[in-house]
Amino acid sequence: MATNSPQQGGQEEGLELATSEKSRSEEDLGGSASKLEDRSNEPGLMDDSEQRAPVQGGVPVVEEKKVDVPPNGGYGWVCVAAVATINAHTWGLNSAYAVFLAHYLANDVFAGATPLQYAFIGGLSISQALVVSPIATFATRIFGTRTTLLIGVVLETVSFIGASFATDIWHLFLSQGICFGWGMGFLFVGSVGIAAQWFSTRRSLANGCCAAGSGLGGLIYSLSAQAMIRDIGLSWAFRTLAVIAFFANTIAALLIRDRNKQVGSQLSFDYRLFKKVEFLGLLTFAFLSLLGYVVLLFSLPNYARTIGLSAEQGSIIGAVLNLGQAIGRPPIGYFSDSVGRLNMAGSMTFLNGLFCLVIWMFAKSFGVLVFFSLIGGMVAGTFWATVAPVTTEIMGLIDLPSALSITWLVLVLPTTFSEAIGLEIVAYNGGTYTGAILFTGWMYIGAAVFLWLVRAWKIGEMEARAAAAGKSESEIEPVAAETADGSATSFQKSPFVKRMFKWEKV
């Protein structure tokens, strides 16, 4: 039968190996029937010790080792829906801070508070989610995924209830900034790797659907938060959002099932990854992407006000941006599986930088700004739609938790200060957003360049593995556990510059 995929090829090789082992076993046992199947090199093998059955009729019988293969569907789609729900009520809810920020800046809600302080609250909510990631990862290993998620539910609910009673700016720092960030961090870290465990060939599509939840949640909450603030006031808006988020996140947390035991033991923080140049390239891509993303996410509603639009129109602009993210992330994931995950992430990140420089720069009317928000939103969150599958592609499933934990810590700096940097640039330019728009666009383009460098490295690594295995590059599974042996030591990779312009599904 013809081999349709590298995974099927690996299964056939395992069957051939099983046949040879069986024949040798029969000779050793004097023709007795013995069964042995060795697939130790196949991805997803459980780290189980070999179990032997009792001797039957004087003949020892060797049991088959259990092999874990991602279901690539099934209950995994329930987990995708649950993770998307969590994203909607964490990152999506956090996106509505753009509406809160515009309200704070337009009204003297907290006496003596400055625009810079309000900007830091939005940055804190994201950065604290990333600061707490090693603790959340450790909690997942010790207490399990569900407990970690429920801790996040409690913290997020408490944060909004606390914010509803805030009377000074530092109350808001502690509640809407730090506490909400911690809750979002526990929920995010506990759920971000779930889809990758359930899927193989559909991994990017599943992750894109998960990430779309944040866009859909941002769309809903950007419109509803503005209406709540107008109709029931700021305090009751916080309390209403707390109740909604509590029930939605709790139900989703109870539905999620992880596959940590099948994947194998993992380190929550492995400093040795810093020695890998490809990982440093990924970190730079993430750092620059978030510098641009946070400014874009939180600035559009206030930018709308600077060009003469109303608060309601500003909230619509923020909602349309999140609608674009909800629409754009699943296709990014879908085409990542067919075109290549690094190819898609790099090209879409570059495209968003281009949109900022040629469309947002000249958006001076409501219609043009809506257009930019929609198409820019479709590619603005490319990092979040591709971070798990791209990191898996480069680092592998075993190193994925550690690599993501380090990534979240590195992203604390850009997420904390990017919106503050944006507002300072606006103030320096006399209230115009021209400098902030240039900053955002070039950060996205710089991120795309660094990811393309990592892509060139990945092509070279696949060339070496293909030479070692005696296969073509298209037959090599990017995330497979194959390693180059001594036969590849004399192999010469193609020049790095050539790999930069070489088309390969990566």
Side-chain angles (χ1 to χ4, degrees), residues 149-370:
L149 294 174
L150 292 177
I151 292 173
V153 172
V154 172
L155 287 172
E156 184 176 309
T157 305
V158 169
S159 71
F160 270 21
I161 296 296
S164 70
F165 294 101
T167 57
D168 204 346
I169 188 64
W170 68 269
H171 299 162
L172 215 57
F173 269 91
L174 293 178
S175 56
Q176 195 174 12
I178 295 175
C179 190
F180 179 83
W182 287 353
M184 186 164 64
F186 272 87
L187 284 162
F188 174 62
V189 171
S191 62
V192 67
I194 298 297
Q197 295 178 350
W198 283 89
F199 294 88
S200 54
T201 59
R202 299 175 180 174
R203 183 176 291 137
S204 292
L205 173 61
N207 199 77
C209 292
C210 292
S214 63
L216 186 60
L219 166 66
I220 295 171
Y221 282 123
S222 292
L223 296 174
S224 59
Q226 176 64 37
M228 288 179 192
I229 293 172
R230 182 189 65 238
D231 296 338
I232 61 178
L234 182 63
S235 296
W236 279 105
F238 275 127
R239 292 164 194 157
T240 303
L241 293 175
V243 173
I244 295 172
F246 173 79
F247 283 105
N249 286 331
T250 299
I251 293 172
L254 295 177
L255 289 175
I256 284 180
R257 297 179 190 172
D258 65 54
R259 305 183 72 251
N260 293 334
K261 292 182 180 179
Q262 291 91 330
V263 171
S265 64
Q266 305 150 336
L267 295 176
S268 59
F269 193 97
D270 187 358
Y271 69 91
R272 293 171 296 181
L273 297 182
F274 284 107
K275 298 179 181 179
K276 299 184 177 183
V277 65
E278 65 272 20
F279 184 57
L280 297 179
L282 278 180
L283 291 180
T284 307
F285 159 69
F287 192 97
L288 296 178
S289 291
L290 267 293
L291 277 176
Y293 175 76
V294 175
V295 175
L296 177 60
L297 182 67
F298 290 152
S299 294
L300 275 182
N302 192 57
Y303 171 78
R305 296 175 68 93
T306 65
I307 62 174
L309 302 181
S310 65
E312 285 73 19
Q313 287 176 313
S315 67
I316 292 174
I317 295 300
V320 172
L321 176 71
N322 285 286
L323 173 63
Q325 294 193 69
I327 294 174
R329 291 184 181 186
I332 287 175
Y334 177 80
F335 288 108
S336 291
D337 288 325
S338 57
V339 176
R341 288 148 190 170
L342 275 75
N343 294 335
M344 200 68 182
S347 58
M348 293 300 101
T349 301
F350 176 84
L351 192 60
N352 192 61
L354 190 64
F355 287 160
C356 290
L357 297 178
V358 302
I359 302 179
W360 187 15
M361 180 68 71
F362 306 102
K364 305 299 180 183
S365 66
F366 181 69
V368 176
L369 197 54
V370 167

Side-chain angles (χ1 to χ4, degrees), residues 5-51:
S5 68
Q7 184 181 10
Q8 290 174 337
Q11 292 173 344
E12 291 184 3
E13 291 170 4
L15 291 174
E16 292 173 1
L17 181 56
T19 304
S20 62
E21 291 288 349
K22 179 179 178 181
S23 63
R24 286 198 297 269
S25 178
E26 289 176 348
E27 293 174 0
D28 294 338
L29 297 175
S32 300
S34 175
K35 298 180 181 180
L36 175 62
E37 181 175 11
D38 185 358
R39 295 179 184 176
S40 58
N41 292 326
E42 192 171 321
L45 180 65
M46 292 179 62
D47 190 21
D48 294 341
S49 59
E50 190 176 272
Q51 302 288 332

